[in-house]
Amino acid sequence: MKKTDRIVVAGAGGFIAGNLIKRLVGKGFTNIRAVDIKFIEQWYQTTDGVENVADCDLKEKDNCYRVCKGAVEVYNLAADMGGMGFIESHRAECMLSVLINTHMLMAARDVGKVERYFYASSACAYNTTLQTDAAVSALKESDAYPAMAEDGYGWEKLFSERMCRHFREDYGIQTRVARFHNVYGPFGTWDGGREKAPAAIWRKVLQAMDSGSGEIEIWGDGEQTRSFMYIDDCLKGVDMLTHGDFVDPLNIGSAELVSINQLVDYAEQIGKVKLKRKYNLGAPKGVRGRNSDNALIRKVFGWEPSTPLREGLAKTYAWITTQYETRKAGGKVVE
Ligand code: NAD
């Protein structure tokens, strides 16, 4: 790929795509078109030297055809999504993201010279009946079938994965699909209802310290387990997958399994604070346990995400703290 080839990044105002764009610019790519439905003021970050197309709904076919013109690579990271609190209460909205990937694939087929098309799927595509125990067996790629994905969001991901496969088989579009397992890091949402556990927990720790309440609310009994991948690992995995020859959906996730209670332990250690834990058993909690089986990614790329959770959290929490303090001082932040 030439540094001047056009790269289209969908969902650019969001967490992962915003960080991806910064990485691509850092690697010397000079023809990046960044697209998002949000107004530019709401993007988590923008990078100099990029063509930003804001207020652009990629559910609309015409918009996809317009932004994909001349594209050599397309990264589709646009989706209506959030943490469990959001996806459990916005199932139809999550499923409507199927229009984004459908129209982006059609545009890639019809108006670009697209050599690679990346699609961000999710561990929510996995069969939920395999995730009922906190002491989970890690999910390997074949565990998506027989299908019983997370209702709403997960089914959309599974369907869109499948669409990528058939566009490759029938039209020769070189699609690559990652199943991300919880990604965290700076420049992601940390308040407002779409945030995920690592960011939500730190915000609550900050609020507890600030108000002197000494208490933190935890969703569920805190024994549900997950793995969390630092953004730098995520982006490295996306690069390898997009430019490699492996064509099936692949886990990109950390295999460091922790319970939500352990995540709170880390947050307390980083904040040098001890809080009283109040468990909200009625809150959305998702599956009981989920981890990433990394045997396949190790085999394909000789690599797996490995940033220790404690280390990635420290960097992320430093960034959220700055945001929190800026907002408190009346400054403008994007949550
Ligand atoms: P995000 O919400 O920060 O970013 C998604 C972006 O897509 C947002 O800026 C949103 O405005 C944009 N978008 C939504 N609908 C759109 C539309 N109709 N047209 C144009 N833009 C639209 O999410 P993220 O964490 O950066 O996730 C990126 C991708 O990775 C998503 O597809 C998500 O499902 C997937 N994923 C993320 C995680 C994670 O832990 N963050 C885990 C699994 C999968």
Side-chain angles (χ1 to χ4, degrees):
M1 210 185 151
K2 294 197 295 289
K3 299 287 186 200
T4 51
D5 282 342
R6 172 159 297 159
I7 302 174
V8 171
V9 183
F15 164 48
I16 301 176
N19 281 297
L20 171 68
I21 289 166
K22 199 159 60 185
R23 189 177 201 266
L24 290 169
V25 168
K27 285 187 140 199
F29 290 99
T30 57
N31 192 357
I32 299 169
R33 180 174 287 157
V35 191
D36 204 285
I37 195 171
K38 295 189 291 201
F39 294 119
I40 198 86
E41 304 76 41
Q42 296 166 314
W43 292 27
Y44 296 140
Q45 60 183 320
T46 52
T47 304
D48 289 344
V50 171
E51 178 193 351
N52 294 320
V53 184
D55 188 18
C56 179
D57 185 351
L58 294 174
K59 291 198 290 303
E60 300 294 333
K61 183 174 159 213
D62 290 351
N63 286 340
C64 294
Y65 276 62
R66 182 165 57 87
V67 300
C68 284
K69 262 203 192 107
V72 174
E73 276 189 2
V74 173
Y75 293 86
N76 177 13
L77 293 122
D80 219 338
M81 61 95 62
M84 285 322 298
F86 180 82
I87 65 177
E88 286 196 1
S89 56
H90 296 79
R91 294 196 169 112
E93 220 169 299
C94 289
M95 291 207 83
L96 280 171
S97 295
V98 75
L99 295 174
I100 303 175
N101 195 55
T102 305
H103 291 144
M104 287 297 280
L105 278 172
M106 289 168 67
R109 181 193 61 187
D110 297 341
V111 300
K113 304 161 281 189
V114 175
E115 289 172 12
R116 291 293 150 111
Y117 181 102
F118 173 83
Y119 175 64
S121 183
S122 162
C124 289
Y126 281 113
N127 189 324
T128 47
T129 63
L130 302 174
Q131 305 171 63
T132 53
D133 192 345
V136 281
S137 319
L139 294 161
K140 52 186 183 310
E141 284 74 1
S142 54
D143 289 334
Y145 297 98
M148 188 45 76
E150 181 88 41
D151 206 359
Y153 177 72
W155 278 104
E156 189 278 317
K157 290 294 185 194
L158 197 63
F159 179 87
S160 290
E161 285 188 0
R162 203 84 191 171
M163 184 96 94
C164 286
R165 169 176 159 180
H166 295 306
F167 266 67
R168 180 171 45 77
E169 291 172 347
D170 294 0
Y171 305 123
I173 306 288
Q174 284 303 311
T175 53
R176 300 290 185 268
V177 174
R179 290 195 187 128
F180 291 151
H181 292 248
N182 300 300
V183 191
Y184 70 96
F187 295 97
T189 179
W190 55 278
D191 204 352
R194 288 183 189 247
E195 65 281 12
K196 298 191 158 199
I201 285 169
W202 184 245
R203 189 201 65 240
K204 290 179 190 178
V205 168
L206 291 174
Q207 284 165 337
M209 294 197 292
D210 213 8
S211 67
S213 76
E215 256 187 19
I216 183 166
E217 184 192 79
I218 296 169
W219 286 7
D221 64 3
E223 290 307 308
Q224 63 273 35
T225 52
R226 293 291 185 278
S227 72
F228 299 95
M229 166 169 61
Y230 190 59
I231 183 71
D232 290 1
D233 285 334
C234 172
L235 299 181
K236 190 170 172 188
V238 169
D239 191 2
M240 288 198 281
L241 180 61
T242 304
H243 301 108
D245 294 331
F246 188 81
V247 296
D248 292 325
L250 187 69
N251 278 338
I252 301 187
S254 163
E256 184 185 343
L257 188 73
V258 290
S259 68
I260 297 301
N261 279 324
Q262 282 170 304
L263 192 60
V264 178
D265 291 343
Y266 282 150
E268 286 181 337
Q269 286 162 20
I270 292 168
K272 297 189 178 56
V273 65
K274 194 88 196 138
L275 301 170
K276 184 164 180 288
R277 300 181 187 191
K278 239 178 52 194
Y279 293 97
N280 179 353
L281 300 180
K285 350 172 225 301
V287 293
R288 187 66 178 156
R290 175 182 290 157
N291 197 6
S292 178
D293 183 318
N294 286 348
L296 189 56
I297 194 170
R298 277 199 303 272
K299 185 166 158 224
V300 175
F301 294 121
W303 173 86
E304 68 182 302
S306 58
T307 303
L309 179 58
R310 177 72 170 72
E311 191 183 307
L313 286 178
K315 290 185 198 168
T316 309
Y317 289 176
W319 179 81
I320 296 176
T321 303
T322 316
Q323 297 292 295
Y324 184 90
E325 283 167 357
T326 305
R327 184 176 70 178
K328 195 176 159 195
K332 201 173 161 326
V333 293
V334 180
E335 294 154 17

